Amino acid sequence: MAAAVKGGVSSLLGKLSLSSGEVITAREPSADELSALKEKYQQANQEQVFAFYDSLSSPDKGALYAQLADIDPERINEITKKALNPPAANEGESAPKVEPLPDSATASILDSEKEDIEKWYSSGLDLVAEDKVAVVLMAGGQGTRLGSSAPKGCFNIGLPSEKSLFQIQAERIYRVQQLAQQKHGKEKATIPWYVMTSGPTRGPTEKYFEEHKYFGLEKENVFIFEQGILPCISNEGKILLESKSKIAVAPDGNGGIYQALITSSALTDMRKRGIEHIHAYCVDNCLVKVADPTFIGFAAAKNVDIATKVVRKRNAKEPVGLIISKNGKPDVVEYSEIDNDTAEAKDAKHGDLLKFRAANIVNHYYSFSFLESIPEWAQDLPHHVARKKIPYVDTEKGETIKPDKPNGIKLEQFVFDVFPKLELEKFACMEVKREDEFSPLKNAKGTGEDDPDTSKNDILQQGKRFVEAAGGLVVSESEDNSGVEVSPLISYGGEGLEFLNSRTIKAPAVIEREE
């Protein structure tokens, strides 16, 4: 029965979320094949996609046919309608009950007992040593806002070493493997890295990893795959054409990770390896503690299906999503969805803290057993509307139009939309220090917030804290150059730096090895 359910849903996922890989050979369809597909689109009132078919070359006819055959237009109509018309609250229905997560589901690195943190860290390393931990990286974005067309993970934030985000994160995986090996006296511990790209970033990502020899990781333990895509829809509900022989498509959001794990066979690979615990995160956080043993150990000890890291909200006005309990289920509420009184409410037990302060940083743990259930619920996750300016071909005039205002929508799913499917006892939340674990790269250099300079500075200041905690002294000629870059290859979280005790380090500096 389970196999039949998986097969059926996997087939549906394939129809709904397309592959954007290039078609190697595009065979022009037979008259009967074309007629059947046209009828399918006519019944869905989406026949405009064939507007230029008769004028296309044979290869272009084959390519368009192949693209359209992968789409279920009725299903696209269905999810578009649901996204544009979310269920309204019934008259007289009370507002959802929103509360912070219960204490039983939370822990904080800021105030947990040292013994608990050490226990979680130790048990997390044990699981790494047993080859039961995997990492999933959401790396579909390009560095467009950063002035780069390359995948965002290739971006050099300006560190003295000139390491990219991909390299920093790969080296953290390498170090955790090393720490687990040392603890257990093993020759080898493996953390497979599943890197989810988008259509435009897959090729460049694969090339980048190959050129850099997978940053010291073994090639067979780096699994690069691609998230799905969905058609772009006009404001009138019509599938848009990017060109006369191609429909306009866009990545299906970070929530596409779930069906991509199925359709790419990444989950099958995890099963073969005996993986039980998965850490998932976004590429743009330069401080992310990849495969964090403490987080893995915490979630495993709680025996939960999903856990998430949060940082403490800076103030009531900070525009961040919050991890909360809504009607007794774990959920995320966006900043725009809560009123001022709720945002400014104080914690009854800690009057100097906000009541709602658990800021979502898209840093999650999953049990493998939960991810195996993806086929049972993935098709039920909602799609959200992003109104965009989408270039398209006018099907009446045949002209390419570049709109100056939003003319359509892109449909996307959010990774946290699965949270409410859990009971609270199967969900946990760990609060971590922002200065140690969260520094997103969102904006172009010079913005002053979440840009390459802030990312670089946050890593250098963390390195300085590592050196000082180890008994070293950091001196500099100016405050602007006061930081130290500590390579993840020698220290994951400040450990292993005893050789710096009583030494003076002149900043800026790079510490790559013990000497």
Side-chain angles (χ1 to χ4, degrees), residues 115-158:
E115 292 77 10
D116 287 334
I117 296 173
E118 290 176 346
K119 180 176 64 177
W120 295 328
Y121 176 79
S122 179
S123 64
L125 277 185
D126 293 344
L127 293 169
V128 172
E130 294 166 9
D131 295 338
K132 292 181 178 180
V133 176
V135 170
V136 175
L137 166 58
M138 291 172 274
Q142 292 172 285
T144 309
R145 282 198 232 170
L146 309 174
S148 168
S149 61
K152 189 179 279 190
C154 301
F155 195 79
N156 171 3
I157 60 176

Side-chain angles (χ1 to χ4, degrees), residues 341-370:
D341 288 345
T342 303
E344 295 174 0
K346 296 294 186 179
D347 189 303
K349 297 179 182 177
H350 308 280
D352 57 332
L353 299 177
L354 293 171
K355 178 179 180 180
F356 296 96
R357 59 182 181 274
N360 177 32
I361 60 174
V362 196
N363 193 322
H364 308 312
Y365 160 94
Y366 299 92
S367 70
F368 179 78
S369 60
F370 177 73

Side-chain angles (χ1 to χ4, degrees), residues 426-464:
K426 299 302 288 184
F427 185 88
C429 179
M430 172 179 276
E431 183 185 60
V432 297
K433 294 180 180 179
R434 185 187 292 251
E435 64 268 27
D436 280 338
E437 299 206 34
F438 187 56
S439 180
L441 178 60
K442 304 289 187 185
N443 304 314
K445 186 177 176 67
T447 309
E449 183 177 355
D450 297 342
D451 69 2
D453 289 334
T454 59
S455 293
K456 175 184 73 173
N457 188 60
D458 286 343
I459 284 186
L460 296 180
Q461 291 305 311
Q462 182 187 60
K464 179 181 179 180

Side-chain angles (χ1 to χ4, degrees), residues 28 50 78 165 188-189 209 237 250 284 306 339 380 439 446 458 484:
E28 183 176 347
F50 290 98
E78 178 186 345
L165 294 171
K188 188 176 183 181
F209 272 74
D284 61 2
I306 298 178
D339 56 39
D380 298 326
S439 180
D458 286 343
V484 177

